Structure formats: structure tokens, C-alpha cells
């Protein structure tokens, strides 16, 4: 089987090789999955660079999430799983950038055969995170407002869609006009450009309303400016630091207005949540993808052999959507 392998930490196209490896023996509770699709996420590149919360031993398989079909099963695996489409959870015990993957059955959730495998391949990380961010920190009611940074990211698109389903309004911050247009098309209720007058622009956009929750993927000043528009006692959840800067939130806002600051990492939830909760949430997200309520924009898909081009495109700013590997795809396909 062909597998992308990480041989050291560093720049993705310099430290990842496409190798043919022999099929490992299946453990009793393992399955062999013939992969259909796997996305590239910012966290994969943090993992590759040695900047993630999990460090691999080299050589390591790579790629956190994806979907495929069960081709072979271990002796203790339910035979009903044979041939089924499964979502591979981002546990980092297996790498999904490979045409075949061996994974323990505990890391899989069955998915519908009828749904687009590209969209299903992306629900392991971002939609689950979006769902938990919206449901864990404040009890949001229809008509409440939330604010978010990097709103044109795939995460932003999922947050807007899930908020809409709950009747919650979104105030979205992006850093370029093209991205603002995209977020408006996705149904973001207000869109504001990240700039020197962010607090004033946010206040104008909210027109007297206050935020209940701020979700931040950027760090630095924007999250602090958004936090100024939170209700007293509101929550800020930081789930990424795209700018590399510490979230600049005024201690006065935290102390005198009783705001609370939280950090979220999906992997902690996957490690600690009861199995029934994990299955329930992924099934719910799979159903929302199936009925078209939940999706992420896709810019381009690549076959595994074109991984260097896929990385180049995935790592550039100003994308219109995600970059994915599609297995069995012979040609690259534009989705822009
Ligand atoms: N904590 C968790 O458990 C968890 C779970 C899921 C995702 N995440 C994190 O969430 C973030 C978004 O993930 P994704 O897959 O949705 O990303 P994505 O679709 O690849 O989008 C990346 C986004 O980051 C923005 N960005 C990049 N550098 C920036 C900077 N210096 N300042 C402001 N914005 C910047 C991009 O803006 P442009 O389009 O303008 O370039 C784009 O909106 C990633 O950092 C990911 O690791 C964390």
C-alpha cells in the first residue's frame, strides 16, 4: 500500500515521502480501510512541523482524518462492518494520507453510503469542533449573537451553519474583502474586516446588541476587540492561534466584566468523552452533511502522488476552500 510518511519534523514537502509499505498484519480488533478521501488541515502541518500537541516517532504515517471503506476485518470485528463506509477519527494512531489504512475499530464511526465522501471526510475535526464550541460554554438561545475570527475558514463556515440551525446570529471577522463576500454568501449575519478600528466597526455592525460567545482562531488583537462587545459574564474560547500571537484580551475586561477565557482542543474531547457521545455527535454531523445543511467549500482535490502540489496549495493564504486527497482519482479536479 502507498502511504505518505513523515521522516522528520520540518517543511512538509521536504520531510514527507510517498512510500510503498507492506500491508501490516491485522490485529483482532483492526480493520483495513480502502481510503476514499482525506483533507489537509492546518493541524496536520503543525504536526508535521513538530508544533502540535502530539509528537510522533519517525517514520510516522500522517493525515488526521478521512473516510474509506472497510476492506478486511480482524477476527473480533463485527462482520457487518465489512464493505461499510467509515469515518476515521483524528486520534493520531493512524495516518489517513494513504491509499489503505489499518485502524482499530474503536477509531471508526460508520457513515452513510449515499453521502459525498469528500464532505464526510472532513467531519472528524472541524464540524465536531464547531459543534462543541457552540454547545459547551454558554447556553445559546435563538436570537443570541456570537462573534468569530477567521470566519472564512472551513471552521467559520461550519460555525455559521450550525449557529443558523440553532437560530443564533453570527458576527464574523475576516481579513480581506474577498473573504467577506464569501462569508456573506454562507449566510453570516454581519461581516467585519479586521483593521485598526475593529471595535468600532463591530459595535456599528451589532447596532446595540451584545455577543454571548466569542470563538477565536487567530489570536493577537482581534479577539480582544471582539471581547469588548461581549455581555458581562460572556465567554471567549480560543481554539487556534493562526497569527502566532497571544490573544490580547484586556485583563480589565476579564476581571471587571467577569468574562471567562477558555482553550479548546478536540483531541481532549475524543480522549475523554464517552463512546456513546462521540458516536451520537458524529452521526448527527453525518446526517447534517447528508441533508446538505453542513458543508465546507472545496478548492481542489489531488491524487496522493501529487502531494507536494497539494501541500503548496493548502499552505497558501487566500484559498477559496479546502484541499483534499481523493483516492482512486487519476486527475486533479478543480472545485473552485
Ligand atoms: N483546537 C481544536 O481542537 C481545533 C479543531 C479544529 C480546527 N482548529 C484550528 O482552527 C483553525 C482553522 O482551521 P480550518 O481547517 O478551518 O482552516 P482553513 O480552512 O485552512 O482556514 C484558515 C483560516 O485562517 C486564516 N488565517 C491564517 N493566518 C492568519 C493570520 N495570520 N491572521 C488572521 N487569519 C489568518 C485564513 O485567512 P485567509 O483566508 O485570509 O488566509 C483562513 O480564514 C486552524 O488553526 C486549525 O488548526 C483547532
Amino acid at each position: 500500500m502507498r502511504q505518505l510518511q513523515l521522516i522528520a519534523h520540518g517543511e512538509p514537502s521536504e520531510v514527507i515521502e510517498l512510500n510503498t509499505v507492506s500491508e501490516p498484519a491485522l490485529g483482532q480488533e483492526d480493520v483495513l480501510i480502502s481510503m476514499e478521501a482525506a483533507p489537509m488541515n492546518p493541524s496536520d502541518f503543525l504536526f508535521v512541523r513538530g508544533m502540535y500537541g502530539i509528537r510522533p516517532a519517525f517514520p510516522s504515517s500522517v493525515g488526521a482524518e478521512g473516510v474509506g471503506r472497510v476492506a478486511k476485518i480482524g477476527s473480533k470485528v463485527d462482520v457487518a462492518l465489512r464493505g461499510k463506509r467509515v469515518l476515521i477519527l483524528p486520534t493520531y494512531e493512524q495516518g489517513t494520507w494513504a491509499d489503505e489504512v489499518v485502524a482499530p475499530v474503536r477509531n471508526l464511526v460508520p457513515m452513510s453510503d449515499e453521502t459525498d465522501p469528500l464532505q464526510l471526510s472532513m467531519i472528524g475535526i472541524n464540524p465536531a469542533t464547531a459543534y462543541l464550541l457552540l454547545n459547551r460554554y454558554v447556553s445559546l438561545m435563538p436570537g443570541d449573537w456570537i462573534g468569530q475570527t477567521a470566519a472564512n475558514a472551513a471552521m467559520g463556515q461550519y460555525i455559521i451553519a450550525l449557529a443558523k440551525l440553532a437560530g443564533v446570529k453570527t458576527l464574523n471577522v475576516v481579513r480581506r474583502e474577498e473573504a467577506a463576500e464569501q462569508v456573506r454568501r454562507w449566510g453570516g449575519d454581519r461581516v467585519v474586516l479586521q483593521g485598526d478600528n475593529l471595535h468600532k466597526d463591530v459595535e456599528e455592525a451589532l447596532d446595540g446588541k451584545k455577543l454571548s460567545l466569542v470563538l477565536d482562531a487567530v489570536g493577537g488583537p482581534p479577539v480582544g476587540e471582539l471581547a469588548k462587545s461581549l455581555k458581562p459574564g460572556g465567554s471567549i474560547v480560543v481554539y487556534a492561534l493562526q497569527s502566532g500571537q497571544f490573544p490580547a484580551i484586556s485583563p480589565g475586561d476579564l476581571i471587571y466584566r467577569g468574562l471567562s477565557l477558555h482553550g479548546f482542543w478536540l483531541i481532549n474531547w475524543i480522549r475523554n468523552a464517552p463512546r456513546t457521545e462521540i458516536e451520537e455527535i458524529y452521526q448527527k454531523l453525518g446526517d447534517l452533511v447528508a441533508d446538505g445543511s453542513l458543508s465546507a467549500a472545496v478548492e481542489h482535490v489531488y491524487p496522493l502522488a501529487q502531494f507536494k502540489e497539494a501541500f503548496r496549495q493548502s499552505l497558501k493564504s487566500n484559498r477559496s476552500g479546502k484541499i483534499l486527497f481523493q483516492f482512486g482519482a487519476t486527475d486533479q479536479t478543480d472545485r473552485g
Side-chain angles (χ1 to χ4, degrees), residues 5-46:
Q5 287 190 320
L6 183 63
I7 52 165
H9 288 308
E11 273 309 294
S13 56
E14 290 165 16
V15 296
I16 291 181
E17 300 174 340
L18 179 57
N19 290 326
T20 301
V21 296
S22 50
E23 195 181 300
L26 282 192
Q28 291 182 327
E29 299 192 359
D30 288 342
V31 304
L32 176 76
I33 301 150
S34 177
M35 292 300 292
E36 296 179 279
M40 274 143 267
N41 287 305
S43 49
D44 290 312
F45 297 118
L46 291 176

Side-chain angles (χ1 to χ4, degrees), residues 41-43 125-126 129 150 152-155 175-176 194 217-218 239-240 242-243 264-266 317-319 322:
N41 287 305
S43 49
I125 297 179
N126 285 337
T129 300
N152 66 309
M155 270 297 299
R175 60 175 178 168
R176 51 199 175 84
Q194 198 176 300
V218 171
Y239 65 94
Q242 287 280 12
S243 70
F264 177 83
W265 191 34
L266 181 74
S317 298
N318 309 353
R319 274 182 285 106
K322 293 301 257 187

